């Protein structure tokens, strides 16, 4: 049984869309306005400071989710590029889908825990954008995975 070689024209658009969503999410994570920490200058006075998802300051203050979300996004982007290079590896697509799903779940948990642990719920625009982009990437990657799992054409 021979299969037709996959050319760049036969790559699923969902694969490109998933990669584009991950790149945009990574750009939003690199912005210095992604994570906001509140510091107290005195009683009743709060000073907000914003940091990048890859900054270690939020980790030092116990906000682990941004760093984990950033690591999951970078790993998902690497796996997505590997899937683009080696398109017939179904296990690689499954790992990519799992990594994007973990990133989306962590992003949702980050917003929920920040709402529950503080008395106010005020997510930043990059946090909402990252959540939307990671969930969209999860949907697109699952579409690409199922398109890849369709029966192969034999010549």
């Amino acid at each position: 049984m021979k299969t037709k070689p996959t050319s760049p024209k036969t790559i699923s658009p969902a694969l490109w869309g998933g990669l584009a969503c991950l790149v945009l999410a990574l750009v939003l994570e690199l912005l210095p306005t992604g994570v906001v920490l509140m510091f107290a200058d005195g009683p009743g006075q709060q000073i907000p400071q914003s940091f990048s998802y890859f900054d270690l300051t939020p980790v030092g203050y116990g906000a682990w989710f941004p760093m984990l979300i950033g690591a999951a996004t970078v790993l998902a982007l690497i796996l997505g590029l590997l899937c683009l290079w080696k398109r017939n590896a179904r296990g690689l697509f499954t790992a990519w889908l799992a990594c994007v799903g973990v990133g989306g779940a962590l992003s949702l948990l980050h917003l929920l825990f920040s709402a529950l642990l503080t008395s106010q719920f005020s997510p930043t625009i990059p946090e909402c954008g990252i959540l939307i982009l990671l969930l969209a990437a999860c949907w697109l990657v699952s579409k690409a995975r199922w398109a890849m799992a369709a029966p192969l054409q034999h010549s």
Side-chain angles (χ1 to χ4, degrees), residues 74-140:
V74 169
L75 182 61
L77 194 55
I78 291 170
L79 285 172
L81 292 174
L82 286 174
C83 285
L84 188 63
W85 179 58
K86 190 173 177 104
R87 286 175 286 250
N88 293 330
R90 291 186 179 165
L92 200 57
F93 267 92
T94 305
W96 186 28
L97 178 61
C99 190
V100 173
V102 165
L106 285 173
S107 184
L108 184 63
L109 284 174
H110 171 61
L111 286 178
L112 289 176
F113 280 141
S114 65
L116 291 175
L117 295 177
T118 61
S119 60
Q120 58 196 14
F121 180 65
S122 57
T124 62
I125 292 174
E127 286 175 334
C128 294
I130 289 166
L131 174 65
I132 291 168
L133 286 169
L134 287 178
L135 293 178
C138 189
W139 178 70
L140 288 169

Side-chain angles (χ1 to χ4, degrees), residues 6-24 77 80-81 83-85 87 93 96 136-137 140-141 143-145:
T6 309
S7 69
K9 292 180 182 177
T10 61
I11 296 174
S12 171
L15 182 82
W16 291 110
L19 284 172
C21 285
L22 288 173
V23 168
L24 289 174
L77 194 55
L81 292 174
C83 285
L84 188 63
W85 179 58
R87 286 175 286 250
F93 267 92
W96 186 28
L140 288 169
V141 169
K143 260 184 93 169
R145 169 71 174 97

